[in-house]
Structures are given as structure tokens and as C-alpha cells.
Amino acid sequence: MLKTISKSKLVVGSLIVSMFFISCDKKRVFDEYLSLTDQKWNKNNELKFTFSVEDTLNLNNLFINIRNNKDYGYSNLFVIAQMNFPDGNTVVDTLEYDMADGTGKFLGQGFSDIKESKLYYKENILFPTKGDYTFKIRQAMRKNGEVSGIENLEGVTDVGFRIEKTK
């Protein structure tokens, strides 16, 4: 009986703490993560995030969130990002992000082996149309001098997409 009470108190306490952090995130419009199998990002694994837009008047910042561990062996990250609009328009970007400083220390936040990098994708954008949007992303890493991409990019644990209000 005592164990049941302790577990239920733990669950209630966890829910209260979670609700506190969620309610404090007033800038968040959309925030979702996808976990990668075996902490590897296959070059053919296009990750997809679908979100609905109702606000076409206020500016937003869009972020790509990457969680990596010590197995990530590069100082940068190349990705191909695609935004599909409700009206059928599509925008495709090839992006490069720094993942480590000159000494090889990862730039992300975190106290453990997992570092989280919040990477700007688009700043101060206005969604032109109400409706459902789709953001797709895939890794485009290549070793120097090689044409074919890295089949499985090791050390990437999760990929996320986040939209924040600018004000």
C-alpha cells in the first residue's frame, strides 16, 4: 500500500512540474521531436513535421533542434530542409550549422553526453496562408572528396522542429 501511495505522489508531482514548464513557454507555437533509431540518421530518412497555422499576422522564428551525443564525429552538420505550404508552394534550403568549436567541444546545451543545439532556420517570418504546413528535413553530410553521402550519420539522437512567436 505504501508503494502505491509513493508512486501516485511521484506521478502527480511530475505532472505538476511538467505543467509548470509547459505553461512558462509562452513563445512556443509548435515544438516536436523525432527520435532516431540506434542514434543514427540515415541519409534516406526524411523527417517530417506537420503543423497548422491560424495566425498570419504575427512574426515567428523557426528552429531546427538537434540532439547529439559523443559519437557525433563532425564539427558541422549539413541538412536539406523543405517547407511545404498549404497553397502548394515549396521552399527548399541547403543549410550548414556549426556543431563544435575549434577545439572540438560541442556547442549545444546540456550537462550529460547529450547536447542539444537550437539552430535558427528562419527568422522573423510571417506565414502567408492559414492551413497545414509540412516541414521536412534530411541530413546531407559527405566526407571530404567523396561524392556519395554518409549512409548513417552516427551520434544524432533526436531531431526537432520548433516555432516561436517573436514577441
Side-chain angles (χ1 to χ4, degrees), residues 106-162:
F106 289 122
L107 298 173
Q109 302 294 311
F111 297 107
S112 68
D113 283 344
I114 303 289
K115 299 297 181 192
E116 182 169 358
S117 297
K118 185 176 179 180
L119 310 169
Y120 270 101
Y121 169 52
K122 302 275 185 187
E123 291 183 78
N124 296 315
I125 68 129
L126 199 62
F127 289 106
T129 310
K130 290 183 180 184
D132 291 336
Y133 288 72
T134 302
F135 174 76
K136 298 177 183 179
I137 185 169
R138 61 187 169 92
Q139 63 97 346
M141 294 291 287
R142 285 162 175 52
K143 291 185 179 179
N144 286 338
E146 292 185 17
V147 176
S148 62
I150 296 172
E151 188 73 27
N152 288 302
L153 184 60
E154 292 189 31
V156 180
T157 63
D158 304 275
V159 177
F161 181 67
R162 179 176 172 91

Side-chain angles (χ1 to χ4, degrees), residues 46 79-85 89-95 121-122 135-136 138:
E46 183 177 68
V79 296
I80 298 174
Q82 178 179 322
M83 181 75 72
N84 296 336
F85 294 74
N89 285 327
T90 300
V91 174
V92 178
D93 295 296
T94 302
L95 307 164
Y121 169 52
K122 302 275 185 187
F135 174 76
K136 298 177 183 179
R138 61 187 169 92

